[in-house]
Amino acid sequence: MRVLVAEDEETLAELVATGLRRAGFAVDTVYSGDAAIAYLSLHDYDVVVLDRDLPRVHGDDVARTLVAEGSRTRILMLTAAAGMEDRVAGLDLGADDYLPKPFEFPELISRVRALRRRSARPAPPLLERHGLELDTVRRIAIRDGRELDLSPKEFAVLQILLEADGAVVSAEELLERAWDAHADPFTGAVRVAMSKLRGKLGDPPLIRTVQGVGYAL
């Protein structure tokens, strides 16, 4: 659901981030190893797409730090070196997966999704509740046989609510999991997204507001 891209080639980093956002992920980008460690200590990421040759703090040391801290964040390591020895070395450091450059973007998306499913918050491929079906693989939402035209952000919010299985989800948790680090918590972004989502879900209403606490489906 939330991904950190740590890549020192800024153009590549932004291309990867844009593609991941289109696939429905909340994405932050950093361009050095020390920035990656700082972001990873501040936010709860499902996956980090980690370039091995980062400046200031090497990608290997970022991986070692995550493993030493017992982080649940999955590591997809990127490198220009495609030899078997390099792949083995990266995996031995604690990386969960390894992708040599250049890579095909659909494969990157698929690998990130696979790692997310292995995280501490696994999502089943099909979520269902109250006549609402969410296919998290094909990114399709259906209510009572009607396919919904949801934006990636609306889909992410709906997925979080469905995964909560009726429990209340706070606006703060929605911001943490569905928005990136640049989201201003005082802009009402969650309230606006929720209003649009409710309109697309139609009647009878499925999402209720628990005043001062959050939202539940």
Side-chain angles (χ1 to χ4, degrees):
M1 190 72 67
R2 189 162 187 183
V3 180
L4 178 66
V5 176
E7 165 62 61
D8 65 327
E9 296 179 39
E10 294 189 23
T11 301
L12 176 59
E14 294 308 321
L15 284 172
V16 169
T18 297
L20 289 169
R21 290 186 186 110
R22 288 174 179 167
F25 294 96
V27 186
D28 296 319
T29 54
V30 293
Y31 313 116
S32 64
D34 55 341
I37 290 174
Y39 268 63
L40 287 161
S41 67
L42 288 172
H43 304 289
D44 186 19
Y45 292 100
D46 294 289
V47 178
V48 55
V49 179
L50 180 65
D51 180 46
R52 193 170 183 187
D53 297 315
L54 289 173
R56 294 203 287 273
V57 176
H58 197 274
D60 289 359
D61 294 320
V62 176
R64 289 189 184 99
T65 299
L66 282 174
V67 172
E69 292 175 349
S71 173
R72 68 166 199 87
T73 301
R74 300 296 184 178
I75 303 170
L76 173 56
M77 189 169 279
L78 302 179
T79 183
M84 183 187 68
E85 295 83 1
D86 296 285
R87 293 197 300 273
V88 170
L91 293 169
D92 283 347
L93 286 168
D96 297 281
D97 201 356
Y98 200 96
L99 192 60
K101 300 177 184 177
F103 51 82
E104 297 293 332
F105 203 79
E107 181 179 6
L108 173 67
I109 295 289
S110 179
R111 287 173 181 260
V112 169
R113 283 181 175 155
L115 288 178
R116 197 270 177 184
R117 290 194 294 271
R118 290 165 51 190
S119 72
R121 286 196 300 253
L126 185 65
L127 298 165
E128 299 180 76
R129 191 177 179 86
H130 301 312
L132 182 64
E133 298 178 9
L134 206 69
D135 188 324
T136 62
V137 176
R138 296 189 297 156
R139 311 291 297 177
I140 295 173
I142 296 173
R143 183 181 185 186
D144 297 328
R146 174 176 60 93
E147 186 170 339
L148 306 175
D149 182 20
L150 302 183
S151 70
K153 191 68 65 188
E154 291 160 357
F155 192 99
V157 169
L158 188 56
Q159 180 174 343
I160 293 168
L161 292 175
L162 278 164
E163 287 175 357
D165 197 25
V168 177
V169 181
S170 69
E172 291 77 14
E173 183 176 355
L174 287 168
L175 270 175
E176 172 67 22
R177 295 180 59 190
W179 275 262
D180 60 32
H182 300 292
D184 186 341
F186 303 107
T187 60
V190 173
R191 179 176 49 80
V192 171
M194 199 65 68
S195 176
K196 292 180 178 178
L197 180 57
R198 281 173 164 150
K200 291 182 179 181
L201 287 172
D203 293 322
L206 286 178
I207 300 172
R208 61 187 176 93
T209 300
V210 181
Q211 200 63 36
V213 182
Y215 304 90
L217 191 148

